[in-house]
């Protein structure tokens, strides 16, 4: 069953909670969280395509780049925002058609 939701992917529970608090107040969508790229893919298979993905870059068990490339390989074009301390110039090379960055 497909649903409208925002997918937040971060290995830190506190960060996921902050995103949930902010996004659920700002948007009329469910906020669904995953602790890794692999878990995010499981959620997408279960719930369908999210409206947007906000993902940490460095995580165990499937980092943000793994998730991004997996979605591209599946032919799933989802707005994707990456969170990283890397510079936007470096990130743009790794994520050529990314929708945004959070530093």
């Amino acid at each position: 069953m497909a649903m409208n939701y925002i997918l937040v992917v971060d290995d830190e529970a506190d960060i996921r909670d902050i995103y949930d608090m902010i996004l659920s107040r700002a948007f009329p969508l469910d906020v669904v969280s995953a602790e890794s790229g692999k878990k995010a893919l499981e959620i997408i298979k279960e719930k369908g395509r999210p409206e947007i993905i906000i993902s940490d870059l460095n995580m165990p068990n499937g980092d943000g780049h793994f998730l991004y490339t997996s979605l591209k390989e599946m032919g799933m074009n989802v707005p994707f925002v990456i969170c990283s301390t890397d510079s936007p110039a470096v990130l743009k090379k790794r994520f050529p058609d990314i929708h945004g960055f959070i530093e």
Side-chain angles (χ1 to χ4, degrees):
M1 169 192 279
M3 63 182 276
N4 292 339
Y5 68 102
I6 298 168
L7 182 57
V8 173
V9 188
D10 198 296
D11 58 325
E12 293 186 45
D14 291 344
I15 300 294
R16 293 191 307 267
D17 290 345
I18 291 168
Y19 274 119
D20 183 78
M21 184 177 58
I22 293 168
L23 294 171
S24 62
R25 290 180 183 169
F27 298 100
L29 299 168
D30 289 332
V31 178
V32 177
S33 297
E35 66 275 2
S36 69
K38 289 183 180 179
K39 182 64 177 173
L41 290 175
E42 291 174 18
I43 290 169
I44 291 168
K45 287 177 185 170
E46 176 188 325
K47 298 186 179 297
R49 180 188 178 277
E51 296 299 314
I52 187 169
I53 296 172
I54 300 171
S55 179
D56 188 16
L57 178 57
N58 297 310
M59 301 175 286
N61 217 5
D63 66 10
H65 193 259
F66 163 81
L67 176 58
Y68 174 82
T69 56
S70 295
L71 292 170
K72 292 294 173 196
E73 289 168 4
M74 294 166 50
M76 189 174 290
N77 186 19
V78 178
F80 200 99
V81 176
I82 198 78
C83 302
S84 176
T85 57
D86 292 350
S87 76
V90 168
L91 293 172
K92 194 70 174 164
K93 288 179 184 174
R94 289 188 73 193
F95 302 88
D97 58 349
I98 197 83
H99 292 85
F101 306 100
I102 299 173
E103 292 184 67

